[in-house]
Amino acid sequence: MGTPPRDVNAEAAARLAGFQTHGGILEFLRIATLRIAAADAVEADRWIDAEALSAVLARSGATAEDVAHAVSQYPVERLHGEPVDELRWAYPRTEAHRVLADKMLDAMGRAGVAPPAEPRRLDGVIAEGLRCGWMAAHSAWVLGSFAESLEEVFRHGGGNGFGEEVMALRQQGRHALRWCAEYCADRLVVVHGMDPAEALRVAMEFARGWDEPLGLPEDLFPPRYVP
């Protein structure tokens, strides 16, 4: 018997159980990993229904509440007889997506990694990068905002004793960014066949440098088709 393939989404969910960070960020990362697991299932079957998708996500050990939330928030596209083989979710789709795709290619260049030549593989890596940036930017941006608010209070003399809390929030932001990059790197290796050392370099570039969260879920995940 061969070694079963790694389930990087389940591994990430398990690691979150011991991840020390702000409760709201922990909840966001938990739902984000479920959305990425849902994207994998949707890529395999664009017509997967909500019940089957829920069953896939439940196998990761997620709570029923988290599964229901992830499925309810996952983007859906209603089709009325269009040929599915001509509909492919891919970057770039709009001018905004082209700008983001260029940023992903720049990140790969900074990491010293050549992008895949085959268009569909390139789309997949760009999508991974955008999701990684979305997760990391949201986490670091929120924690950074909390830290800046406390610093402002501290600066004006009303935040006596907040200095250590500010430092802790900034450290949590760095840890969250690293967590997102390592999760992305695992996916680049397992899903896209990238060399592990290259994958981590690329993922760190994907994760950092964003001042605010990237896009909305409907921009970052292939929609599930429904009649």
Side-chain angles (χ1 to χ4, degrees):
M1 292 178 61
T3 304
R6 287 176 58 192
D7 185 339
V8 290
N9 300 316
E11 290 175 8
R15 287 199 304 274
L16 279 175
F19 189 55
Q20 300 297 313
T21 190
H22 184 277
I25 297 303
L26 193 61
E27 181 179 3
F28 165 75
L29 291 175
R30 193 165 55 241
I31 295 297
T33 57
L34 282 176
R35 283 181 175 163
I36 292 175
D40 290 340
V42 170
E43 286 279 17
D45 177 8
R46 297 298 293 273
W47 292 95
I48 189 170
D49 61 28
E51 183 177 358
L53 184 56
S54 297
V56 170
L57 300 185
R59 289 200 290 270
S60 71
T63 67
E65 183 179 5
D66 282 349
V67 168
H69 179 70
V71 172
S72 69
Q73 296 298 309
Y74 195 85
V76 170
E77 184 172 330
R78 295 197 172 275
L79 296 183
H80 303 286
E82 294 91 337
V84 177
D85 58 355
E86 293 182 9
L87 293 170
R88 183 166 68 88
W89 180 83
Y91 286 92
R93 292 186 302 168
T94 66
E95 182 59 35
H97 286 116
R98 278 191 286 275
V99 170
L100 291 174
D102 286 344
K103 288 181 180 293
M104 295 297 102
L105 293 173
D106 288 344
M108 296 188 76
R110 290 194 300 273
V113 176
E118 199 274 314
R120 189 169 182 85
R121 286 192 62 222
L122 178 60
D123 285 343
V125 171
I126 288 174
E128 294 288 358
L130 291 171
R131 294 168 195 164
C132 178
W134 167 67
M135 292 174 67
H138 180 94
S139 304
W141 180 75
V142 170
L143 290 167
S145 294
F146 290 164
E148 286 176 8
S149 296
L150 281 180
E151 271 189 325
E152 189 67 22
V153 173
F154 188 71
R155 244 191 320 268
H156 287 82
N160 188 30
F162 282 172
E164 288 187 3
E165 191 169 349
V166 169
M167 290 176 62
L169 285 168
R170 294 202 181 282
Q171 185 177 48
Q172 287 177 23
R174 290 191 294 271
H175 288 170
L177 187 148
R178 178 77 186 192
W179 188 94
C180 294
E182 289 176 347
Y183 173 40
C184 178
D186 283 345
R187 287 188 54 83
L188 289 173
V189 171
V190 174
V191 180
H192 302 280
M194 192 175 287
D195 172 79
E198 290 187 347
L200 185 56
R201 293 203 308 272
V202 170
M204 286 300 294
E205 292 293 341
F206 284 161
R208 62 189 169 208
W210 302 101
D211 295 328
E212 57 187 23
L214 295 176
L216 300 171
E218 54 265 33
D219 300 316
L220 305 178
F221 299 95
R224 178 170 64 85
Y225 295 153
V226 296

